[in-house]
Amino acid sequence: MKTHRLLFLVLLASCLKISSYAQPATKQLIDSLKRELGNNLTKAQKAKVYGDLSWYYNAVSLDSAFRYGDEALKIAREIHDQKLIAQSLSDLGAIYFIKGEIDQSLELYNQSLDIRKTENDEEGIASLNFKIGGAYFKKSELEKAMSHYLEALRYYEQIKNENVIANLHSNVAVVYTALHNYSKALDYLKMAETYFQQQNLYAPLANVTLSMGNVYYALLDTAKAQDSYEKTIDVAKKGLNFLAEASAYNNLGQIYTDLGQHKLAVDYIQKSLEIRIREKLESDVASSNITLAINYAKLRNFSKSKSLLLTSLNYFQQTGGGEKITSIYYQLIAAYAGLGEVDSVFHYMNLYKKNQSAELDNKVIEVSNELETKYQTEKKEQQIEILNQETAIQKLRLRQRGLLLLAAMAVLVSGSILVFFVFKQRRLKAEARLQQEINTQQEKATRDVLDAEERERRRIASDLHDGVGQTLSAALLNLNYLYKTIAEGKTPDPQVMDNARGLVKDSYQEMRSISHQMMPNALLKAGLATSIKEFLDAIDGKNIQVDLNVSGLADRLDQQLETVLYRAVQEAVNNVVKHAQATRLTIQLMKDEEGISVTIEDNGRGFDPSGIDYAEGIGLKNIRSRVGLLQGSVEVDAAPGRGTVVVIYIPA
């Protein structure tokens, strides 16, 4: 049965588990092994049968697999058969892997590996390197995963086992994908795809096409990603690879979530859940429920969204999953906001902030520790990250220009239709003059917004160059010095290493700050009131007392309306902080059936509204331009020595 077990090992390393009712051949093998137990067997023979039963039962019943695996290990230790002990430990480790208990799986794998090394069992060592690589990948320890995969690959290339080589190529590609080296990932996947297609091995081929879809999705090539996932579903059904089929459905659901096609997304995710629930894949079910909850929230079914999120939260709190828990907290804020349960909104908002802060601290510590031993890898990852950030900024600029152009075109068309129906033929001359005036005002408003956006882009570019760029340059100088010191065989200077770590941390924090200024996460995910509160919390409370009052904003507003109001409040508050010399600032947000109003009032030194500085002031000019695009109004009440009141009103 060793030949069968080797093939199944390859599939297991790719996290594949076949359903029992879809595998009659597996049932026949189990029945045959049970009948064999009735024969007069030696203890060694009985232990081997128990081991085989454990192996094949992990595709049918994990409880039975554990029971037979424990029996095999017990007898193997009783008769002191080291190879049998190693095999039993490996089989039990594979069961823990399927169950998702990766640390326990690794412990058993490493115990088995120690015995294999003592016995000089090269084939056993290679198979364990394959398994251990998969376990480390599950733990996101990518360098360890790659190291073990390559150790296994060297052995199987020596013995020319093309089947296992192709599976290893597939797994190596998955690691490269996680490292954002997409060209390398595609190279390995295409080699694996060629072999599996030639051999008509549909189950592992489905894993390959699924991984290809993931690479294209990471490259933002949605069309190719969709094609790959659709192909995966077709191939997976032929190969009875239900895990790959479920993942393809789930990933298609994620794509449609990103595209805003939420009903279609729900359909695909539910197809994935049917399989994952049937296969008892609890971790995958909990992850899919999060995505499903996001879509239900978008469809305004907040009760269903809340129920799914709380179920997933309970699972990840029991099994551990920091990033997942943080994500769930964030989605629960939106769900409870939609339900109007304010206390729960603030409860999960506090939990989200605490978890987010803890995760950030852990990430900074991880980066700092890895700088000492993985300089080359970190250098490449930093270069890739910088390129990704530059690409993201460029795409954001293009998206802003496109949206602005569409908005201007929409206003022009609306204005033209309105004028046509109101004045018609009898007032053609008056219509022409009015249209010309409208066009002039629209052009002026558009120029003002474009000027504001251009100033914003210049500021961001300056921040990146003068802040992040200079800090990273300094970090690179320190790292180059450390590299030279290590290359010369000298002991690295701890002070230089501390400087490098500090500079990288400063760069990371400044990049987060810049991206938040471009579009705060709270505005994108939780809404206007939350984003303004987060912005105001960052103001130094020692110099100025800030009060925020919100009324009627339980539901989300139109995204463009939220963005305009946030930028207007941001501009007005910055003017107060910089120029007003105020000790108290009050902001009121009120929404009713007629529209939404924002009042910003301070007790500062005020100014003369008739003065030239007021008429030409960039801050108020920006506010009027933005609000004007939404047919809103801006009123200012100010006088020297008695503070300033700015009232923004946008009709419903």
Side-chain angles (χ1 to χ4, degrees), residues 13 35 42 183 206 212 262 320 352 472 496 510 564 651:
R35 287 194 297 271
T42 65
S183 61
M212 282 183 167
H262 301 295
Y352 169 75
L472 286 175
V496 176
E510 188 163 352
V564 167

Side-chain angles (χ1 to χ4, degrees), residues 223-243:
K224 285 187 178 180
Q226 285 176 298
D227 288 342
S228 295
Y229 293 143
E230 294 287 356
K231 182 178 179 181
T232 298
I233 293 169
D234 181 57
V235 174
K237 287 179 178 177
K238 292 179 181 178
L240 301 177
N241 186 341
F242 299 111
L243 274 173

Side-chain angles (χ1 to χ4, degrees), residues 470-611:
Q470 297 297 330
T471 307
L472 286 175
S473 295
L476 184 60
L477 289 174
N478 283 268
L479 292 171
N480 284 335
Y481 175 77
L482 288 171
Y483 175 70
K484 182 178 179 181
T485 301
I486 294 171
E488 292 175 353
K490 299 177 182 178
T491 302
D493 187 342
Q495 183 63 42
V496 176
M497 289 191 289
D498 289 342
N499 289 341
R501 283 195 295 267
L503 289 166
V504 171
K505 180 178 179 180
D506 292 344
S507 300
Y508 180 80
Q509 296 284 13
E510 188 163 352
M511 183 61 69
R512 281 174 54 87
S513 176
I514 293 171
S515 65
H516 179 82
Q517 292 174 27
M518 291 172 66
M519 183 58 67
N521 288 332
L523 183 59
L524 290 172
K525 298 180 178 179
L528 178 64
T530 300
S531 62
I532 290 178
K533 183 179 185 303
E534 184 177 294
F535 166 65
L536 296 176
D537 286 344
I539 297 176
D540 187 357
K542 296 179 180 178
N543 297 321
I544 183 170
Q545 179 182 344
V546 182
D547 295 320
L548 173 65
N549 299 313
V550 180
S551 175
L553 278 177
D555 296 329
R556 289 294 298 266
L557 303 176
D558 176 76
Q559 184 174 353
Q560 183 184 27
L561 175 58
E562 287 188 340
T563 303
V564 167
L565 288 174
Y566 177 83
R567 291 302 186 202
V569 172
Q570 187 180 49
E571 188 82 52
V573 171
N574 285 337
N575 286 341
V576 172
V577 173
K578 291 179 181 178
H579 308 299
Q581 298 179 3
T583 59
R584 184 179 183 86
L585 172 63
T586 302
I587 300 173
Q588 292 183 327
L589 278 79
M590 298 182 62
K591 181 180 180 298
D592 54 28
E593 294 180 355
E594 297 180 356
I596 182 168
S597 64
V598 182
T599 304
I600 302 103
E601 182 177 2
D602 69 76
N603 65 347
R605 62 180 184 176
F607 62 90
D608 182 3
S610 63

Side-chain angles (χ1 to χ4, degrees), residues 42-111:
T42 65
K43 287 187 176 182
Q45 291 172 331
K46 184 175 289 188
K48 289 178 181 178
V49 173
Y50 279 138
D52 288 338
L53 280 168
S54 173
W55 184 258
Y56 288 111
Y57 257 118
N58 63 28
V60 179
S61 166
L62 291 182
D63 290 338
S64 297
F66 275 121
R67 185 171 69 254
Y68 285 114
D70 285 336
E71 286 295 328
L73 181 60
K74 180 180 178 181
I75 296 174
R77 284 174 169 165
E78 183 181 334
I79 62 177
H80 305 291
D81 187 326
Q82 294 301 307
K83 287 187 177 181
L84 201 53
I85 292 172
Q87 184 62 58
S88 299
L89 290 168
S90 177
D91 291 347
L92 286 170
I95 299 168
Y96 277 109
F97 181 89
I98 293 172
K99 195 177 180 183
E101 299 180 19
I102 308 303
D103 288 334
Q104 183 65 32
S105 174
L106 270 174
E107 181 179 345
L108 293 167
Y109 283 157
N110 283 316
Q111 290 178 26

